[in-house]
């Protein structure tokens, strides 16, 4: 029976990814359950340790306990290691160790890497892994230095370095874990332009995806950007700008958030929430105090999420771009979806529609389950489920009050959101065979 299970999991790259993430989460839960992982020296209930381990590995940031006060230094480093592994991918980490040991990367391992990095082919994968590791460590190092310089104003040097390293890794990987102890992660820094810019920069770079980062850093040699990079940059910029404008308008007179602040402060807070809501997970205002219209708009941004091959979740910016392109093409009476004067294959459009409908179904399912198990307002439940699925980590305060059934539901949503709904389907579903026939064409009325 065990050998059959091993053969089943080893049958395809998606199944290996499923097994790998599950194994890392389980090991992380066992470590966080240890008395040494908590400041009070007591064992953490396994369900809570599993929740935190899943949240860290799936770079989400939803927590049952306050990370800064509940977990010890050992617990912090376990969380940080899970965030790093989950952010850049466990197969990327495994490949790094193989390269250090000068071991050859097999074809099977390249196929798993292809699935993990969401690539179309296995060509150049090892070079891409080297770039992923280099870019991640370089950006995290710069982020840690910039954070440390700022934190040194408020705390001793050693503590500033510790906080700088922790927040740089967490925020670049879009994990959302912080050591502040506030409902709004960086509330006391909401007017600090320097720290806001550093944090937004890390979130944006982490959300672009390593393929885009490689394209941007090598623009001099390549002379032009790929279609993927152009779409990611344009959609990300549009979502950030539109998001900031909408939040600014909705919250302009809300005294519980930014209503009493100056114009510059309102603008800064609006941009920060727009950036972080698509996967960052840290905030400079209490999300529960925002207007319902703003909270619902943040749900939309969280559902769209970051970009393919990044540390973020959601349906992804490219999927959103293809959907918008398909709608515009239909309105204009065109057959092809065209982005930047390039036609997309019909298979790409079908995949975008499939991913979106699948994700909507999962969010609806998770919301209905929590609406049954939890005694909370519907919008708060929908917000929490979408945050978990989009691996965002923003919360309206429901997470710490979840029942065991609610925690398991959120754990599942975080896991599916990080692994990807299609990857999970390919992993659990039977291998598709070659169709032996094609049905006759039929017609139905649409609209």
């Amino acid at each position: 029976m065990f050998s059959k299970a091993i053969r089943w999991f080893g049958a395809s790259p998606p199944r290996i990814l499923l097994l790998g993430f599950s194994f890392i989460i389980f090991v992380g839960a066992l470590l966080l359950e240890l008395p040494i992982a908590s400041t009070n020296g007591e064992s953490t209930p396994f369900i809570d340790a599993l929740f935190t381990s899943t949240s860290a590995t799936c770079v989400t940031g939803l927590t049952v306990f306050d990370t800064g006060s509940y977990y010890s230094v050992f617990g912090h480093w376990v969380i940080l290691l899970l965030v790093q592994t989950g952010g850049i991918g466990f197969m990327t980490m495994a490949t790094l160790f193989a390269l250090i040991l000068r071991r050859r990367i097999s074809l099977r391992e390249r196929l798993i890497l292809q699935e993990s990095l969401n690539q179309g082919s296995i060509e150049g994968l090892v070079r891409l892994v080297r770039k992923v590791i280099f870019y991640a460590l370089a950006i995290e190092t710069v982020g840690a230095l910039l954070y440390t310089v700022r934190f040194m104003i408020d705390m001793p040097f050693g503590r500033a370095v510790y906080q700088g390293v922790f927040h740089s890794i967490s925020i670049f990987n879009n994990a959302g874990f912080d050591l502040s102890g506030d409902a709004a992660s960086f509330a006391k820094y909401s007017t600090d332009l320097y720290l806001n810019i550093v944090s937004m920069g890390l979130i944006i770079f982490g959300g672009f995806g390593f393929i885009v980062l490689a394209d941007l850093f090598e623009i001099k040699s390549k002379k032009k950007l790929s279609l993927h990079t152009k779409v990611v940059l344009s959609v990300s910029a549009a979502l950030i700008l539109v998001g900031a404008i909408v939040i600014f308008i909705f919250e302009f007179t809300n005294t519980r958030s930014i209503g009493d602040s100056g114009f510059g402060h309102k603008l800064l807070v609006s941009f920060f929430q727009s950036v972080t809501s698509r996967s960052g997970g840290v905030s400079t205002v209490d999300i529960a105090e925002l207007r319902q219209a703003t909270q619902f708009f943040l749900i939309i941004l969280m559902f769209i999420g970051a970009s393919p091959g990044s540390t973020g979740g959601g349906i992804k910016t490219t999927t959103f771009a293809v959907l918008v392109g398909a709608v515009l093409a239909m309105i204009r009476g065109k057959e092809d979806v065209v982005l930047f004067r390039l036609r997309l294959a019909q298979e790409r459009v079908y995949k975008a529609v499939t991913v979106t409908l699948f994700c909507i179904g999962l969010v609806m399912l998770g919301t209905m389950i929590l609406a049954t198990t939890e005694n909370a307002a519907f919008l708060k439940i929908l917000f929490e489920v979408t945050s978990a699925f989009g691996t965002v980590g923003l919360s309206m305060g429901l997470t710490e009050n979840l029942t065991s059934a609610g925690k398991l539901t959120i754990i599942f949503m975080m896991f599916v959101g990080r692994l990807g709904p299609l990857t999970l389907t390919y992993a659990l579903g039977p291998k598709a065979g070659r169709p032996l026939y094609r049905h006759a064409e039929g017609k139905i009325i649409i609209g």
Side-chain angles (χ1 to χ4, degrees):
M1 179 69 72
F2 182 73
S3 60
K4 284 184 179 180
I6 292 296
R7 283 199 300 271
W8 183 86
F9 270 112
S12 68
R15 288 175 181 172
I16 293 176
L17 288 178
L18 175 65
L19 180 63
F21 270 105
S22 301
F23 178 74
I24 292 168
I25 289 170
F26 182 71
V27 171
L30 292 179
L31 292 174
L32 291 174
E33 189 185 21
L34 297 173
I36 193 177
S38 63
T39 53
N40 60 17
E42 298 178 2
S43 295
T44 301
F46 183 74
I47 183 68
D48 295 329
L50 180 65
F51 189 99
T52 305
S53 179
T54 305
S55 183
T57 307
C58 299
V59 289
T60 304
L62 291 174
T63 54
V64 180
F65 307 113
D66 173 58
T67 306
S69 60
Y70 181 83
Y71 291 103
S72 63
V73 174
F74 174 81
H76 292 164
W77 283 105
V78 170
I79 291 172
L80 213 55
L81 184 60
L82 292 174
V83 166
Q84 187 74 86
T85 304
I88 65 175
F90 80 91
M91 273 307 300
T92 305
M93 295 287 283
T95 305
L96 170 64
F97 287 117
L99 292 173
I100 292 173
L101 297 173
R102 299 184 180 278
R103 190 174 67 81
R104 182 177 175 274
I105 310 300
S106 68
L107 175 61
R108 185 178 190 78
E109 289 165 339
R110 291 171 192 263
L111 289 172
I112 301 169
L113 267 175
Q114 178 188 350
E115 183 73 27
S116 175
L117 296 172
N118 202 16
Q119 293 294 288
S121 69
I122 62 172
E123 185 179 356
L125 277 178
V126 176
R127 286 197 305 274
L128 180 59
V129 166
R130 290 194 181 102
K131 292 175 184 176
V132 167
I133 299 296
F134 175 76
Y135 295 147
L137 294 179
I139 294 172
E140 287 171 354
T141 301
V142 172
L145 290 173
L146 293 175
Y147 272 138
T148 300
V149 170
R150 174 60 186 85
F151 291 147
M152 282 172 59
I153 301 173
D154 302 328
M155 58 191 76
F157 176 74
R159 183 67 179 169
V161 172
Y162 183 75
Q163 294 247 0
V165 172
F166 186 95
H167 287 106
S168 179
I169 294 175
S170 174
I171 293 176
F172 170 72
N173 285 287
N174 284 197
F177 284 89
D178 70 272
L179 306 177
S180 66
D182 297 323
S185 314
F186 286 164
K188 63 181 178 181
Y189 298 110
S190 64
T191 58
D192 192 317
L193 182 62
Y194 175 88
L195 191 131
N196 274 257
I197 290 176
V198 172
S199 300
M200 286 191 286
L202 288 173
I203 295 170
I204 290 170
F205 276 120
F208 275 164
F210 296 108
I211 306 154
V212 174
L213 291 179
D215 228 14
L216 290 174
F217 286 125
E218 296 171 9
I219 184 65
K220 286 186 178 180
S221 59
K222 291 185 176 181
K223 304 298 182 183
K224 64 177 183 179
L225 298 174
S226 66
L227 174 63
H228 173 81
T229 299
K230 290 178 181 178
V231 171
V232 167
L233 293 179
S234 58
V235 174
S236 297
L239 288 173
I240 290 171
L241 182 60
V242 172
I245 292 172
V246 172
I247 294 169
F248 182 82
I249 293 172
F250 285 169
E251 295 299 314
F252 193 85
T253 58
N254 184 5
T255 55
R256 293 180 300 172
S257 58
I258 60 174
D260 293 333
S261 304
F263 183 85
H265 183 207
K266 290 178 180 178
L267 204 59
L268 185 61
V269 170
S270 299
F271 267 100
F272 192 92
Q273 299 342 292
S274 178
V275 169
T276 194
S277 60
R278 286 193 304 106
S279 207
V282 290
S283 60
T284 53
V285 293
D286 188 351
I287 301 299
E289 297 298 331
L290 300 177
R291 287 198 168 108
Q292 288 189 347
T294 309
Q295 293 166 347
F296 186 75
F297 181 72
L298 293 183
I299 289 173
I300 297 173
L301 292 179
M302 291 192 296
F303 185 75
I304 295 172
S307 302
S310 72
T311 57
I315 63 171
K316 304 296 191 294
T317 52
T318 50
T319 302
F320 179 69
V322 173
L323 291 176
V324 172
V327 171
L328 293 177
M330 179 64 67
I331 292 173
R332 294 169 181 171
K334 306 288 186 181
E335 288 189 6
D336 297 327
V337 176
V338 178
L339 299 176
F340 291 95
R341 298 183 180 180
L342 291 173
R343 175 177 55 86
L344 298 183
Q346 205 169 37
E347 175 262 335
R348 298 285 96 186
V349 180
Y350 286 153
K351 187 172 183 179
V353 174
T354 302
V355 167
T356 304
L357 291 178
F358 205 144
C359 293
I360 290 173
L362 284 170
V363 170
M364 288 172 61
L365 177 63
T367 303
M368 286 189 290
I369 293 174
L370 253 65
T372 304
T373 62
E374 312 303 314
N375 182 22
F378 178 79
L379 186 61
K380 182 180 284 190
I381 291 173
L382 178 61
F383 192 98
E384 213 79 7
V385 171
T386 309
S387 179
F389 171 76
T391 68
V392 179
L394 294 178
S395 175
M396 290 173 62
L398 180 62
T399 303
E400 55 264 30
N401 299 316
L402 288 172
T403 62
S404 295
K407 290 174 185 176
L408 290 173
T409 302
I410 294 296
I411 285 172
F412 174 74
M413 296 304 298
M414 291 189 291
F415 184 77
V416 175
R418 181 66 184 101
L419 193 65
L422 289 186
T423 300
L424 184 67
T425 303
Y426 295 153
L428 299 178
K431 189 175 181 180
R434 191 182 183 90
L436 301 177
Y437 59 89
R438 194 178 183 188
H439 293 282
E441 183 178 330
K443 296 182 183 296
I444 60 172
I445 299 173
I446 302 294

